[in-house]
Amino acid sequence: MGKWLDLLARKINPPPFQVGDVVRFEPDERALGWTQELEGLYPGYVGKVTKIKRGRMFEWDVYVDNKTVGFLSIYFKLIKRARE
């Protein structure tokens, strides 16, 4: 059943990135207060997407440099797409 939910989630709401993508953290003022929970995450931080897994319902848990970034993934911008 989990495999079907993953496929459905990818159709309804595809992951924002792929494993291996290089991304930069570009938060707005609303997100800056949340970054203190993630050690080493700061505006302009550049890292690589190391893992993506399905979270609640059709949302995605994104890991950058093995750090879970949770909802902050919306503040990451793609710098370089991983090779397909």
Side-chain angles (χ1 to χ4, degrees):
M1 181 94 171
K3 183 177 181 179
W4 289 105
L5 284 176
D6 285 346
L7 290 172
L8 183 60
R10 287 181 185 278
K11 289 278 188 192
I12 293 173
N13 182 26
F17 306 110
Q18 299 173 6
V19 172
D21 285 352
V22 177
V23 294
R24 181 176 47 237
F25 185 52
E26 297 180 3
D28 64 12
E29 59 279 349
R30 294 174 294 171
L32 288 176
W34 292 96
T35 62
Q36 295 167 2
E37 293 180 15
L38 297 170
E39 209 170 304
L41 191 61
Y42 53 86
Y45 179 89
V46 175
K48 186 179 279 190
V49 176
T50 52
K51 182 177 171 182
I52 297 175
K53 67 178 190 173
R54 187 173 48 82
R56 295 184 329 208
M57 297 298 290
F58 299 114
E59 296 175 1
W60 296 97
D61 291 335
V62 177
Y63 293 75
V64 175
D65 294 338
N66 295 319
K67 301 174 191 170
T68 181
V69 296
F71 77 92
L72 293 173
S73 65
I74 63 173
Y75 297 107
F76 279 85
K77 305 296 182 211
L78 180 66
I79 300 300
K80 183 179 176 188
R81 179 66 72 189
R83 292 185 181 171
E84 295 182 13

